[in-house]
Amino acid sequence: LSKTQAQDGNQFPGGFRFGVATASYQVEGAWNEDGKGENIWDYLTHNNPGAIDDGSNGDIACDSYHKTAEDVELLKDLDVDFYRFSISWSRILPSGHANYINREGVNYYNELIDTLIANDIRPLITMFHWDLPQPLQEIGGWPNPILADLFVDYAKVLFDEFGDRVLEWITFNEPYQICHQGYSEATKAPLYAQDGIGGYLCGHTLLLAHAKTYQLYNESYRETQQGRVGITVNAMWGEPASESEDDATAAENYIQFTFGWFFNPIYASEGDYPSVMRSQIDANSQAEGFQRSRLPSFTQEEIELLKGSSDFLGLNHYSSYECARLTTDETTPSFINDMGVSYTQPDTWEAGASFWLKVYPDGIRKLLNWIKTRYGNPEVMITENGFSYAGNEQDLQDCRRVNYYNVYLEAILAAIVEDECNVTAYTAWSFMDNYEWLRGYTQRFGLYYVDFTDDDRPRTPKMSSRVYSNIISTRAINWTYVPEGFTACDW
Ligand code: GBH
């Protein structure tokens, strides 16, 4: 454990906001209650449990569907400014289509939103955090372009039902994970492995769904509801593996292919996909004998629609990679070959329980500066950041997580104060331990410990929850703070 970037005495600026996050499938449970329809995670976990590390599912998860009052009490206790959660599409529209609205689903979210607001906690709502209605998967899922319109229909229902009280919306959580992992790499539902094809088609639909939702808000809701609509992309920072020019290019290309893929069309002045994606995917497609590029094209009108279609840049960030140039003479379509980058993490970075999560706080500061430079310093809301322990670790004294939050928040503070990056909010992932997708319950990200063996799913504060709460109330990082009931960590 190391104290790497102490900024003693510095405080987060006045208007800066702190929150915590969850997602519907990961916490709600009640998978088939009160008229909810089946989604792709219900389908995957029930029909292919072998795909999940511990064979588990989110049928009950944290049972948050039945614990609105208790959860909001805990949020109040944390003193957060906002709570980021997601809406389960199939709870609102059981078939995925907007022909029938499930009132009981609407009531659940109304109750949650109203209870939050009554406690002075702002809802920050993600419309889509990976739980696609299964019937929409059966017509092809996101690679089917019709889903853009079906998503807008769903978004309209959300604005109509909740927009009078909800001022901040995120259309999509992590398009790269939805698309690349869901349709190219088979590491997220629906576990499709059409590498170099499915992911790009999915991404194209998502971007258009996002831009059309933004347009709908502008045309029909912004004036009356006066809220904001954004989108969240996950980014690992790409550090060049060596001083060579090739590796510098590799690191830049890594960021363009994973982050620029979705933000270049929205934030770059020229819009559209990053030119390096266009040229490399076009060239590879041609060499592989395709009649057209595997990366679809936007019309000029679509390029214009996408430009500027976000009121804040939502950033999920956990870790970084060292990137090197990858050359191959393989001729099967592949995202990695298109990108031409290999990436690894040095053993010298402290490891979390997730294989991809290593502690490198400089990465977020560099990434925030990259965003500032490339996109003209847009408003950034950090919508996720956090650290995992193994599922069987029951230590409430989670010093490694406290260290993670402290060093990452210090790096963010430095980016704000010293580099003048326009970061306005920070969100800890996660409020409580929850269902970690293919990892099931084998990894814990929570500030609260959840006992998944107990039918009541009791939540117990970890040390990190108290430390985070102290950061929120003092607006500063304090390495010497020892919350009551815990002992000092050995920094
Ligand atoms: C978030 O995604 C999710 O939004 C959240 O639901 C989840 O519980 C949380 O993280 C913890 O995992 O695939 O090459 O990008 C973070 C997604 C997935 C990002 C794995 C990094 C590994 C490398 N992370 N990914 S890559």
Side-chain angles (χ1 to χ4, degrees), residues 169-477:
W169 298 98
I170 292 166
T171 52
F172 290 99
N173 179 68
E174 302 188 347
Y176 174 87
Q177 276 64 29
I178 298 165
C179 293
H180 178 68
Q181 300 193 331
Y183 296 89
S184 281
E185 184 191 71
T187 54
K188 291 275 161 14
L191 296 191
Y192 285 1
Q194 297 227 21
D195 198 1
I197 296 175
Y200 298 139
L201 296 176
C202 165
H204 206 69
T205 313
L206 280 200
L207 278 163
L208 291 172
H210 166 79
K212 288 178 175 191
T213 301
Y214 189 80
Q215 181 185 39
L216 169 72
Y217 195 78
N218 281 349
E219 286 173 357
S220 309
Y221 298 94
R222 189 178 293 276
E223 204 178 300
T224 50
Q225 299 187 346
Q226 312 227 355
R228 312 198 303 155
V229 178
I231 177 170
T232 279
V233 179
N234 180 79
M236 308 279 283
W237 168 249
E239 185 87 354
S242 76
E243 313 232 292
S244 77
E245 199 151 311
D246 273 356
D247 290 353
T249 306
E252 172 72 12
N253 289 357
Y254 175 79
I255 299 171
Q256 290 294 1
F257 267 78
T258 57
F259 189 67
W261 179 2
F262 300 100
F263 274 144
N264 207 77
I266 298 173
Y267 280 103
S269 51
E270 73 280 10
D272 205 349
Y273 290 120
S275 57
V276 65
M277 283 186 79
R278 182 84 273 158
S279 61
Q280 294 186 185
I281 301 168
D282 287 2
N284 282 1
S285 303
Q286 199 181 25
E288 291 152 1
F290 287 87
Q291 296 302 298
R292 70 196 73 245
S293 177
R294 290 182 276 99
L295 181 68
S297 294
F298 292 118
T299 64
Q300 199 52 46
E301 205 183 322
E302 289 168 342
I303 290 173
E304 294 309 320
L305 186 68
L306 272 154
K307 272 200 227 172
S309 65
S310 194
D311 299 319
F312 55 87
L313 187 154
L315 174 66
N316 289 356
H317 178 85
Y318 290 84
S319 193
S320 298
Y321 283 127
E322 288 185 347
C323 300
R325 179 171 167 184
L326 173 78
T327 40
T328 155
D329 26 277
E330 248 182 71
T331 53
T332 41
S334 132
F335 175 80
I336 296 290
N337 291 347
D338 290 341
M339 178 164 71
V341 177
S342 64
Y343 46 91
T344 51
Q345 292 175 315
D347 295 334
T348 51
W349 294 352
E350 189 200 342
S354 315
F355 72 85
W356 48 269
L357 207 175
K358 298 216 166 62
V359 185
Y360 183 63
D362 283 351
I364 196 164
R365 183 169 177 185
K366 291 177 182 175
L367 179 62
L368 290 168
N369 278 281
W370 188 97
I371 293 168
K372 177 185 167 192
T373 309
R374 296 297 189 296
Y375 301 149
N377 210 11
E379 176 181 347
V380 174
M381 287 175 56
I382 295 167
T383 45
E384 285 181 30
N385 176 241
F387 185 80
S388 56
Y389 273 56
N392 57 9
E393 287 181 273
Q394 306 198 347
D395 199 355
L396 297 177
Q397 170 99 16
D398 56 344
C399 290
R400 284 178 290 140
R401 180 175 288 106
V402 171
N403 175 71
Y404 182 95
Y405 281 123
N406 281 350
V407 295
Y408 272 77
L409 279 164
E410 281 182 343
I412 292 161
L413 190 52
I416 297 170
V417 175
E418 291 169 37
D419 310 335
E420 296 180 345
C421 295
N422 186 12
V423 186
T424 59
Y426 176 84
T427 317
W429 182 275
S430 177
F431 176 20
M432 65 182 80
D433 296 335
N434 57 49
Y435 187 74
E436 179 57 14
W437 310 110
L438 292 193
R439 305 284 85 81
Y441 298 106
T442 69
Q443 294 179 3
R444 297 177 178 273
F445 277 88
L447 296 171
Y448 284 83
Y449 182 87
V450 178
D451 182 353
F452 296 102
T453 65
D454 185 321
D455 287 348
D456 280 343
R457 298 296 192 271
R459 291 97 158 95
T460 311
K462 299 179 192 176
M463 184 182 188
S464 55
S465 76
R466 304 297 88 214
V467 170
Y468 189 47
S469 185
N470 186 63
I471 290 171
I472 297 174
S473 57
T474 61
R475 306 271 137 181
I477 297 133

